Amino acid sequence: MDKEHQRSNKKKTKSDVTFRGVAVSKGVGVGTLILRKKEAENRHTFAGAPEEIRRFDSAIADVITSYHILYEDTQAQLGEDAAAIFFAYQRMAEDEVYRDSVYRWIREKELCAEEAVLLALDEFAKPLLQSEDPYLRERASDIREVTGSVQKYLTTEDDSFAFWDDAPGVLWAEELFPTEFMRLKNKKIAAIVTAKGSYTAHVSILAREKKVPMVVGMPSAFASEIRDGCIAVVDGNTGEVTLHFGG
């Protein structure tokens, strides 16, 4: 009888697992866990400096246009304070020092645009990540956001969450950027859960503005417990996230 009781408890533990992260946007959300589509590996061969620079210039122009549209959309929905981040991203993408860094990696190392963009990211983000100031470290995330947007236009990658249907869902991602969040405006987001992030991160601010419960700082064990079709209960007040597997 004792053995049966132990087996029963073990089964219950597998069906209901709770983790604790950092609550950054209040509220409680319940829904099927939605995972970002895995990015297809895209290896571009160096096509000569002029062509790689042309590809980068084309991508950065599309990124700047995209940020301008997001700025106007967010301003209309949430006001100037929330929209300001996209104006800042646009200025980052327009920065000549950033562009010159990418050009230099392409010309001197004969790298394709995708690789040059990543090296420029490291060049700009590394000093910020080494700073003792939490605000400056958070700004490294902003540079990753701009770099990620450029990469998407270089690879013509589809929206990572394009497969999401109309059902309410709890969005899970290692890291979520403000651009991705605002592009999900037509999706029913019950809550957001990420491994990276902080209370002062721009995406956390947007989540609070839109009143979407959000928990960040999830432990690595959380990702290993995820199964297809599992239901997540996210408590943005306490930071607790519970996974239900059914059965």
Side-chain angles (χ1 to χ4, degrees):
M1 192 71 174
D2 288 340
K3 289 183 178 180
E4 287 184 14
H5 182 68
Q6 290 174 358
R7 283 196 296 269
S8 175
N9 282 341
K10 188 175 181 181
K11 182 178 180 181
K12 187 176 292 184
T13 301
K14 286 185 176 181
S15 300
D16 188 359
V17 185
T18 299
F19 295 88
R20 184 181 290 274
V22 179
V24 298
S25 183
K26 293 182 179 181
V28 177
V30 182
T32 302
L33 204 63
I34 306 295
L35 281 64
R36 175 190 274 117
K37 180 179 64 180
K38 289 184 178 180
E39 297 179 4
E41 189 172 353
N42 191 321
R43 294 190 176 277
H44 182 79
T45 304
F46 180 68
E51 174 59 15
E52 295 302 332
I53 289 174
R54 184 203 65 75
R55 293 180 63 238
F56 170 72
D57 284 343
S58 176
I60 205 75
D62 287 339
V63 166
I64 290 169
T65 299
S66 173
Y67 284 143
H68 181 70
I69 292 171
L70 282 168
Y71 168 76
E72 292 187 332
D73 286 350
T74 307
Q75 186 183 45
Q77 292 181 52
L78 303 174
E80 179 62 32
D81 288 346
I85 180 55
F86 297 108
F87 181 78
Y89 287 161
Q90 181 179 334
R91 288 290 177 260
M92 285 184 198
E94 292 170 340
D95 187 79
E96 290 185 4
V97 176
Y98 170 71
R99 291 193 186 204
D100 287 344
S101 176
V102 176
Y103 293 162
R104 175 166 48 81
W105 285 111
I106 290 173
R107 292 188 180 115
E108 294 182 5
K109 299 297 182 180
E110 296 188 343
L111 298 175
C112 65
E114 289 86 344
E115 293 175 300
V117 165
L118 290 176
L119 287 170
L121 163 65
D122 185 62
E123 189 175 317
F124 281 83
K126 194 172 183 179
L128 295 175
L129 290 171
Q130 293 174 341
S131 172
E132 295 182 0
D133 187 334
Y135 178 83
L136 290 179
R137 289 199 300 271
E138 191 63 52
R139 300 295 68 80
S141 176
D142 296 338
I143 298 173
R144 287 200 301 274
E145 146 66 42
V146 175
T147 299
S149 293
V150 175
Q151 290 275 29
K152 281 180 169 57
Y153 278 98
L154 282 170
T155 60
T156 61
E157 181 183 301
D158 292 331
D159 185 346
S160 297
F161 302 104
F163 60 90
W164 191 348
D165 59 24
D166 292 331
V170 172
L171 178 60
W172 156 251
E174 182 74 15
E175 183 173 23
L176 188 70
F177 295 111
T179 300
E180 295 174 305
F181 178 78
M182 290 306 297
R183 283 176 179 159
L184 290 169
K185 61 184 178 181
N186 295 323
K187 305 296 184 182
K188 295 178 182 177
I189 308 174
I192 299 171
V193 183
T194 67
K196 298 179 181 179
S198 70
Y199 189 86
T200 58
H202 291 298
V203 70
S204 301
I205 295 170
L206 289 174
R208 291 194 292 274
E209 290 284 346
K210 297 198 76 170
K211 303 187 186 310
V212 176
M214 184 173 181
V215 174
V216 305
M218 296 305 292
S220 56
F222 178 82
S224 65
E225 290 287 346
I226 293 172
R227 303 289 183 274
D228 287 341
C230 66
I231 302 297
V233 179
V234 180
D235 191 328
N237 305 305
T238 65
E240 287 190 344
V241 179
T242 300
L243 297 179
H244 295 284
F245 304 101

